[in-house]
Amino acid sequence: RRDIPRPQVYIFGEIEGSAPCWPLVRLYCSWRLVFDSAHWSVIQGEVEGETYLSEVGPQGFCTWNHPVSAHLACKTLRGWPRLELVVRGSDSHGRRQVAGYGSWALPVGPGTTEVSCRCWRPSGNGILARLRAFLLGMLPELLQLGVVSDPCKSRSGLRTEDSVDVLLRINVIHQHFKQNGLHTSPEL
């Protein structure tokens, strides 16, 4: 019996951009691939990065066209990779603030996917927090990013609001899945 290579997943594409939420006029995005390191390992590529700061264009869109490229190997499909996003920006006065947090499970099936990842941000409790956000540009931020993409961590009691949508175009390619008896479908 010959050795069968471990299943591998190639992830490549780009974080295309986002439409900012008022009052932000410039945005950038920090991203990382989140997966169970007990079952997944990186063969090649980057699993985290950051786009450049982009001004709002004439169509009301911040364009990044930031590449994402990673080659992963897995022992099992448990802990399938997710893309975690943290979008930050600044307003016309140069005040910096979080624009939103997002998490998107990469498609299980091979192929190309274009998706808009809806992001959210914490909103303050009460009128004082809303006034602070509106007048001073001071929005609450998460101290620990684990609640963004970990389904086991609870966000109960955390007030949030929808914020920005990040446009993603991601390609997934499988290698050695059939030899290992793994079958996926794009519909999952």
Side-chain angles (χ1 to χ4, degrees):
R1 174 178 132 88
R2 60 171 227 232
D3 287 337
I4 299 174
R6 286 175 53 184
Q8 298 176 22
V9 177
Y10 295 86
I11 301 160
F12 62 96
E14 63 184 6
I15 302 172
E16 293 186 354
S18 178
C21 54
W22 183 87
L24 302 177
V25 295
R26 290 175 286 282
L27 293 178
Y28 70 96
C29 179
S30 301
W31 63 272
R32 68 185 185 129
L33 284 174
V34 179
F35 49 84
D36 186 346
S37 58
H39 304 290
W40 292 79
S41 59
V42 179
I43 295 175
Q44 188 177 27
E46 299 294 325
V47 292
E48 61 183 280
E50 192 169 89
T51 69
Y52 61 88
L53 185 67
S54 174
E55 300 268 342
V56 177
Q59 287 81 25
F61 192 76
C62 290
T63 303
W64 298 315
N65 296 115
H66 183 82
V68 173
S69 179
H71 179 189
L72 307 174
C74 62
K75 296 177 187 173
T76 176
L77 298 182
R78 188 174 304 139
W80 189 263
R82 300 182 66 82
L83 186 63
E84 183 180 276
L85 307 168
V86 179
V87 182
R88 298 183 182 278
S90 62
D91 63 14
S92 59
H93 302 292
R95 296 180 296 194
R96 297 170 191 227
Q97 59 187 256
V98 67
Y101 302 96
S103 178
W104 179 65
L106 293 174
V108 176
T112 301
T113 303
E114 188 168 316
V115 68
S116 180
C117 178
R118 172 62 51 110
C119 295
W120 55 271
R121 65 182 176 197
S123 62
N125 294 333
I127 190 73
L128 184 60
R130 293 267 185 204
L131 280 172
R132 187 178 302 130
F134 180 75
L135 296 174
L136 303 175
M138 296 173 57
L139 292 169
E141 293 189 29
L142 296 177
L143 297 176
Q144 296 181 6
L145 294 178
V147 299
V148 174
S149 60
D150 189 346
C152 297
K153 302 230 176 169
S154 173
R155 290 192 293 228
S156 66
L158 179 64
R159 288 182 184 239
T160 63
E161 61 188 14
D162 287 343
S163 58
V164 297
D165 292 324
V166 176
L167 185 60
L168 306 167
R169 181 174 300 146
I170 301 292
N171 302 283
V172 175
I173 297 175
H174 295 169
Q175 185 176 21
H176 308 303
F177 269 48
K178 286 184 183 176
Q179 294 96 318
N180 285 278
L182 298 173
H183 301 281
T184 62
S185 66
E187 293 84 36
L188 292 178

